[in-house]
Structure formats: C-alpha cells, structure tokens
Amino acid sequence: MAEPPNWFFSLCAFVSFVLVMIPLPWHLEAWNTGTCLYMIWTGLACLNQFINSVVWNSDVINRAPVWCDISTKFIIGSAVAIPASSLCINRRLYHIASVSSVTKTRAQKRRDVMVDLAIGLGLPILEMCLHYIVQGHRFNIFEEVGCYPFTWNTPPAYALVFCWPIAIGVVSGYYCILTIRELSIRRAQFKELLSANKNLSSSRYFRLMGLAGIEVLCTVPLGAYSIYLNSTAEPIQRWVSWANTHYDFSRVGQYPSVVWHENQLTIISIQLSRYFIIICALVFFAFFGFADEAMRNYRLAYQSVTKRVGLSTASFSATGTWTANGTNPDMSYNGRSGTMPVFITQRTEQKRDSFASFSTDLSLGDYGGALDDVKKEPYSPTSSGGSISKETLPISPVDSMNIPLPTLPEPTLDVHAVPRHVPDAPDSIDVV
C-alpha cells in the first residue's frame, strides 16, 4: 500500500494541533483537569511531530541535538500521557456517577485535581525516566520523520516502556464499566448528581464518556499490536548489564528514507505511532468542537474579529430575528412576524438662527377647530410618551402666514340692550 506524502502528514499534524487547542480556554475555566491534560498532551504531540517532519523533510543532518533530546523524551511521555489523561476522565465520570453526596468541599475538589495531575503528569514523567534504563543510544533521525527515540529491544524494555499503555488502558476500561453500571442503577438521581457540577451538563458528560470509551477501545489493541511489531521487527536481545546497554551512548542513528523504507514492519511501526496522535486529536474535536459551548465561543470570536477589522456581521437568533451589525445597524428582520427590513434615513436639519426668535410673526394654535384638516400622525408603540426626537419634527418650519384663520364677526353694540344703572335709593323722600 502506498504511503501518503510527507507534506500531507505535516498538514494534518498542524491542523490537528490547532483544532485540539481551540476548546482549551473554556475547559480551563471549568477546571476539567483530565480533559485539559488530554488536549495539552495531544496538541503538543501534534506540534512536535509537525516540527520534526518539516525540519527533516529531506535529510538526516543532526542540526538540533538538544531539540532532539527533548523531542524524543516527549514522544515517550506522550505515549503514556494520552491514555493516562483518558484514565483521569473515566475516573472523574465514575466519581460523579457513584458519589453519595452531591456537594463537595473545596478541599475535596483540590484533592481531586492533585490526583489527576499525579496521574496525567506524574506517570508520563516517570515513564521518561524509566526509558533511560533501556535507552541504547542518544536518539535516531529518520528522513521525513525527524527525531525518534531509540529503545534497546531487551526483555526489560517491555516491562518498563511497551506495556504501560496497555496497563493504563485496562484500568481506564475498568472505570468505564463501573460508570456504566452506576448510571444504570442511579438513573433517577443522575440529574441531581450533575447539579452539583455547574460546569458539567448531561451532554458534556456523555461526550466525555464517549471520548474515554473510544480511547480505551483503541489503546489496548494498538498497544498489543505495538508489542507485536517490536518483537518481530528485530530479534529480542539479551540484557547483559547497564554498561553494555549504554555503551557509546552519545551515538546518533541517521537513516535516510530509502533505508528505513526497506523494512515493511519498520514503516508500519513509525507511521502508526505518528498518525495515532492525529487520530486522537480529530476524535476529540469531533466530540467537543461542535458542541453548544463551542459554537457560542466561535460566534463570539468571529464577532470580535469582525469588529476589529470593521466588517459587518449578520447573526440569526433562535427566536427567528435576523439582525445586521456593523455598517448599517438600522436593518432588522423578524422571520416569525414576516415583516420586511425597515430602512431608516436620518435627516440633518439646519439650525435656525437665534435672531429668528425675535420675529414679530405670531404662531397661532388651533382655534375653534379651524386646523382639523391637518392630518395627525398615528400612534407608534415604539415611540415613548413625553419625548420628542429629531425624526418626529417637521422637515421645514411651519409658516404662520399660510395658516387660514377663522372669520370673526364684526363688533356691534346695541345701546338699548345694555341695562341701565339703577341707583340704590328709595323712590320718594319724605321731608319733615
């Protein structure tokens, strides 16, 4: 079977690094230790393989020996770290499903984090140290692959290096089975158990369970197959002594592409170890890259970027309201009511000179209903009572000379109609 070109692997490794690191910020906020460890180890492993495949794409020159020392130890550690992170996830899911009390103290939460760090960081670091016991020389450099660790194929290597992923996968599978059992027993209490974990919904719980379950199903068979390849690709050597194993330790093995492609088992072993990291990253993104919280954070990031560059963005809410943001904020569409977008044009009027306020022209109001022919604006529920906006003002000022005034009757005075004044005095006066 033809191998994919090296540039294809480099592209997949870089894309996988970006994809697996995208959900990291909101998982850090939720303090999901096992999930964060899984993302960090997988993302850095993809980045490490990407750098190696680019730098040593066409040669085997030992141009960065210190980098190769770090890179090869990281490859050894990541082979254990990813199953260990899955073990942390399965262990946490089991404790959530089987806990008798829905509340946890701060000390208990801190202890859980410390245990997860001991598993997800302590075991990989321990594996890096144990690998030195069976490390025959410094490292190897394969063309198109880059720096690669060397393990002396002796019986102690199987106990110290090759069997660790299988052992961790078995323990993780045990926790996964216990979690399924507890969920089947406490199905009625499941919502109450999740209520104690504010950052863990039922959807995220089952997604974590699916990720850990797939990782367990892949780790044990691939670990067993890796042991088979190591035992058959080259004969197992007899362990003699520490000095014999580390003789000429500073040597660097350099293998061009035409050399290491001669052995089919070597090709399978190297390519499987590289592409397995990419598969882990893509599986994680498939579970968490399209979740509700991920889509919400994508939307916020997109709006933040478009605001910085000054582009207009459009969003569609769940209620059926479409809004346009950016250069034209006065456009909206409601899908449920069926109303079309409304375009509002704002007009700027020239301010009247202050001397016009001293004009002798009078502005008369409506007298006696003479202005009833003036059309009144209908009431709009969007306008607030008691407020006047620029849009409600007339386009041009009203000229009082053009308003028809009512005809008043001419003043007439009827003299006889005016009552005469009667003095307050008696009709007759008697003189004594």
Side-chain angles (χ1 to χ4, degrees):
M1 185 178 65
E3 297 180 49
N6 190 50
W7 64 264
F8 177 76
F9 173 81
S10 301
L11 177 63
C12 292
F14 182 76
V15 172
S16 299
F17 162 71
V18 174
L19 293 180
V20 79
M21 297 301 287
I22 286 176
L24 181 61
W26 55 86
H27 282 277
L28 284 174
E29 295 177 358
W31 282 94
N32 296 328
T33 312
T35 311
C36 294
L37 289 173
Y38 188 98
M39 285 185 285
I40 293 172
W41 280 109
T42 306
L44 293 180
C46 292
L47 181 62
N48 180 39
Q49 296 288 356
F50 166 74
I51 295 174
N52 285 333
S53 64
V54 171
V55 175
W56 285 276
N57 180 49
S58 59
D59 57 58
V60 291
I61 300 174
N62 186 14
R63 56 173 57 89
V66 177
W67 162 260
C68 284
D69 287 332
I70 300 173
S71 175
T72 52
K73 286 300 179 182
F74 189 85
I75 292 174
I76 293 294
S78 62
V80 175
I82 295 177
S85 301
S86 177
L87 174 59
C88 294
I89 296 173
N90 275 318
R91 179 178 171 273
R92 182 180 181 228
L93 297 179
Y94 168 70
H95 284 299
I96 292 175
S98 62
V99 67
S100 57
S101 176
V102 297
T103 59
K104 275 190 175 184
T105 62
R106 185 178 297 271
Q108 291 175 336
K109 295 180 180 179
R110 189 183 301 112
R111 183 167 57 252
D112 291 340
V113 172
M114 297 303 296
V115 172
D116 289 340
L117 291 177
I119 297 174
L121 289 178
L123 291 181
I125 294 175
L126 178 61
E127 173 69 4
M128 296 177 192
C129 298
L130 293 177
H131 175 256
Y132 181 73
I133 299 176
V134 291
Q135 184 178 357
H137 56 264
R138 194 170 179 182
F139 52 82
N140 292 332
I141 297 178
F142 293 90
E143 186 180 355
E144 299 180 353
V145 176
C147 308
Y148 204 81
F150 175 77
T151 304
W152 185 244
N153 194 16
T154 57
Y158 291 86
L160 298 176
V161 178
F162 299 143
C163 290
W164 277 64
I166 298 179
I168 296 175
V170 170
V171 178
S172 183
Y174 174 73
Y175 273 108
C176 188
I177 294 174
L178 291 180
T179 302
I180 296 175
R181 177 177 174 272
E182 290 294 332
L183 287 178
S184 61
I185 295 175
R186 304 189 178 192
R187 187 180 305 172
Q189 302 177 359
F190 181 69
K191 292 183 179 180
E192 183 181 359
L193 295 174
L194 290 179
S195 62
N197 298 269
K198 298 180 180 180
N199 297 317
L200 185 63
S201 61
S202 60
S203 176
R204 180 179 289 185
Y205 185 93
F206 287 111
R207 278 186 274 117
L208 285 172
M209 194 172 178
L211 172 67
I214 291 178
E215 199 278 330
V216 169
L217 294 177
C218 295
T219 297
V220 176
L222 288 176
Y225 186 63
S226 176
I227 292 177
Y228 167 77
L229 291 177
N230 289 320
S231 60
T232 56
E234 59 183 18
I236 300 176
Q237 304 294 326
R238 185 174 61 91
W239 171 269
V240 178
S241 63
W242 178 278
N244 179 69
T245 303
H246 295 86
Y247 175 77
D248 193 15
F249 183 79
S250 60
R251 180 175 65 89
V252 175
Q254 297 167 300
Y255 302 94
S257 178
V258 294
V259 174
W260 66 271
H261 275 86
E262 293 179 353
N263 192 336
Q264 187 65 25
L265 293 179
T266 303
I267 297 174
I268 296 175
S269 178
I270 292 177
Q271 298 292 6
L272 185 63
S273 63
R274 294 205 303 170
Y275 279 95
F276 179 71
I277 304 298
I278 296 178
I279 293 174
C280 292
L282 295 179
V283 168
F284 180 86
F285 185 78
F287 275 101
F288 294 94
F290 302 98
D292 295 337
E293 66 270 15
M295 302 304 293
R296 183 173 59 254
N297 285 278
Y298 297 157
R299 192 179 302 111
L300 292 176
Y302 173 72
Q303 293 177 356
S304 176
V305 172
T306 52
K307 286 182 180 179
R308 290 179 182 273
V309 300
L311 297 177
S312 61
T313 60
S315 61
F316 189 84
S317 63
T319 57
T321 302
W322 179 87
T323 59
N325 303 323
T327 59
N328 198 353
D330 298 324
M331 298 170 57
S332 64
Y333 175 70
N334 193 310
R336 293 187 176 181
S337 60
T339 57
M340 296 300 295
V342 178
F343 299 87
I344 301 175
T345 304
Q346 296 182 357
R347 298 183 179 180
T348 303
E349 299 176 5
Q350 185 177 3
K351 188 175 180 181
R352 192 175 62 173
D353 192 1
S354 59
F355 288 100
S357 60
F358 295 95
S359 175
T360 57
D361 296 335
L362 298 178
S363 297
L364 300 180
D366 188 7
Y367 179 80
L371 301 181
D372 288 343
D373 56 339
V374 179
K375 186 177 180 180
K376 297 182 179 180
E377 292 292 335
Y379 171 75
S380 176
T382 58
S383 61
S384 58
S387 62
I388 300 176
S389 62
K390 184 188 296 182
E391 291 76 4
T392 59
L393 295 176
I395 299 176
S396 60
V398 179
D399 190 0
S400 60
M401 301 300 295
N402 297 329
I403 300 176
L405 296 179
T407 303
L408 299 178
E410 296 182 1
T412 58
L413 179 60
D414 187 3
V415 180
H416 300 283
V418 178
R420 299 176 63 87
H421 177 69
V422 179
D424 189 11
D427 296 338
S428 62
I429 300 176
D430 297 333
V431 179
V432 179

